[in-house]
């Protein structure tokens, strides 16, 4: 393991979004807070315990939505901009294996997602009066979501050739999956066939798990959710390793 090279790549990926923290960290946290403020105003027009429960239900999902979108954006943008500018060779030439490259990119995206998720929770939970039931499980799911979407971002960055392609994936795949994964509602209100589709959605497993950590409530068995998430992460990691090892759309 080239520890120096791996640390350098992680440091580069971290400094890349850290140097413009107002855009990459502060802006998503602000947007998440605005989401919750809007729902707060809607639900508390007629203040009731039921409306407070709805706000508590939505809060973990909105935080996870920000984590998912930004972890994906971090790695996908990093790889794509390097391809467009022609300096991807500067990443491929150093003595780093495909495994180390994959780990370095994904850790960078995971750090960004973890920072956004943690800071959003620190700001939002006390603001709405929500006491996290299992903080360790909640942070674990933020970590898993950040890592999983970083891996998806790497795959998108490899296959995309221009920003139009990446925007298409973000707008028509990542964002709908985040919004339609029980972020704002319980899937129990859906018809049975739509519930079954939700159970196949990897983003739903993440949001449902985070909600269980925050509220001790979930729509799906938490054990199955975390096992499916780990299997999906393993498959993504393996697929990305093969792509980087073969240099698909990177070395040609």
């Amino acid at each position: 393991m080239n520890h120096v090279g791996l640390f350098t790549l992680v440091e580069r990926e971290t400094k890349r979004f850290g140097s413009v923290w107002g855009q990459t960290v502060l802006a998503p946290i602000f947007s998440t807070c605005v989401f919750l403020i809007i729902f707060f105003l809607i639900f508390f027009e007629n203040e009731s315990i039921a409306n407070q429960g709805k706000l508590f239900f939505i809060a973990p999902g909105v935080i996870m939505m920000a984590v998912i979108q930004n972890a994906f954006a971090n790695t996908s943008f990093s790889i794509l901009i390097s391809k467009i500018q022609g300096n991807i060779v500067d990443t491929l030439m150093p003595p780093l294996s495909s495994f180390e490259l994959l780990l370095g990119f994904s850790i960078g995206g995971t750090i960004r997602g973890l920072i956004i998720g943690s800071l959003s929770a620190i700001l939002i939970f006390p603001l709405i009066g929500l006491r996290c039931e299992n903080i360790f499980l909640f942070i674990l799911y933020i970590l898993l979501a950040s890592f999983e979407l970083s891996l998806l971002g790497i795959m998108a960055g490899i296959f995309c050739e221009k920003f139009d392609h990446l925007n298409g994936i973000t707008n028509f795949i990542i964002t709908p999956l985040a919004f339609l994964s029980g972020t704002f509602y319980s899937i129990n209100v859906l018809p049975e066939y739509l519930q079954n589709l939700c159970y196949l959605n990897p983003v739903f497993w993440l949001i449902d798990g985070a909600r269980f950590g925050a509220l001790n409530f979930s729509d799906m068995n938490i054990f199955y959710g975390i096992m499916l998430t780990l299997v999906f992460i393993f498959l993504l990691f393996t697929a990305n390793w093969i792509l980087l090892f073969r240099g698909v759309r990177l070395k040609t």
Side-chain angles (χ1 to χ4, degrees):
M1 176 74 74
N2 183 351
H3 296 94
V4 175
L6 176 60
F7 176 80
T8 303
L9 180 57
V10 172
E11 184 180 21
R12 188 197 74 174
E13 290 299 294
T14 305
K15 286 184 175 180
R16 191 182 61 80
F17 74 81
S19 61
V20 286
W21 61 271
Q23 176 184 347
T24 57
V25 177
L26 184 60
I29 294 175
F30 178 76
S31 298
T32 303
C33 291
V34 170
F35 257 111
L36 267 298
I37 290 172
I38 292 172
F39 284 111
F40 177 86
L41 295 175
I42 293 172
F43 292 147
F44 278 70
E45 182 178 359
N46 295 311
E47 189 171 345
S48 68
I49 295 176
N51 284 338
Q52 187 180 31
K54 292 176 184 177
L55 190 65
F56 286 177
F57 181 88
I58 290 172
V62 173
I63 292 173
M64 287 295 286
M65 188 171 64
V67 170
I68 286 167
Q69 292 174 340
N70 285 275
F72 175 83
N74 196 77
T75 50
S76 59
F77 182 84
S78 178
I79 294 177
L80 181 58
I81 194 66
S82 295
K83 290 167 61 177
I84 292 175
Q85 292 178 344
N87 58 22
I88 188 68
V89 65
D90 296 332
T91 303
L92 299 177
M93 284 185 63
L96 288 169
S97 66
S98 302
F99 177 82
E100 291 161 350
L101 287 172
L102 178 57
L103 202 58
F105 278 116
S106 56
I107 290 175
T110 301
I111 291 173
R112 179 175 170 183
L114 191 59
I115 290 173
I116 291 173
S118 301
L119 292 180
S120 297
I122 290 172
L123 288 173
I124 291 171
F125 284 0
L127 185 65
I128 64 175
L130 173 60
R131 183 178 64 86
C132 191
E133 294 291 335
N134 191 328
I135 187 64
F136 299 105
L137 187 61
F138 183 75
I139 293 176
L140 173 63
Y141 266 95
I142 289 178
L143 186 63
L144 290 174
S146 301
F147 192 64
E148 180 179 315
L149 270 294
S150 295
L151 293 173
L152 277 175
I154 291 172
M155 184 174 291
I158 290 173
F159 281 107
C160 291
E161 295 294 335
K162 52 186 179 179
F163 286 113
D164 288 346
H165 298 159
L166 183 58
N167 289 334
I169 292 175
T170 302
N171 294 330
F172 295 107
I173 298 178
I174 302 301
T175 300
L177 284 178
F179 274 92
L180 300 176
S181 299
T183 303
F184 304 105
Y185 55 86
S186 171
I187 66 168
N188 291 327
V189 303
L190 300 175
E192 185 176 354
Y193 72 95
L194 289 179
Q195 291 185 36
N196 294 331
L197 287 177
C198 286
Y199 292 141
L200 300 176
N201 182 353
V203 178
F204 166 73
W205 309 334
L206 298 170
I207 292 176
D208 195 55
R211 182 171 288 124
F212 182 83
L215 305 176
N216 201 26
F217 168 83
S218 64
D219 290 319
M220 181 180 180
N221 187 304
I222 196 68
F223 174 77
Y224 294 136
I226 199 167
M227 292 303 297
L228 289 170
T229 297
L230 292 174
V231 169
F232 190 64
I233 287 175
F234 173 77
L235 294 175
L236 282 175
F237 195 92
T238 303
N240 278 322
W241 178 81
I242 294 173
L243 292 173
L244 288 171
F245 181 78
R246 295 182 176 179
V248 176
R249 297 202 176 190
L250 295 175
K251 296 180 180 179
T252 58

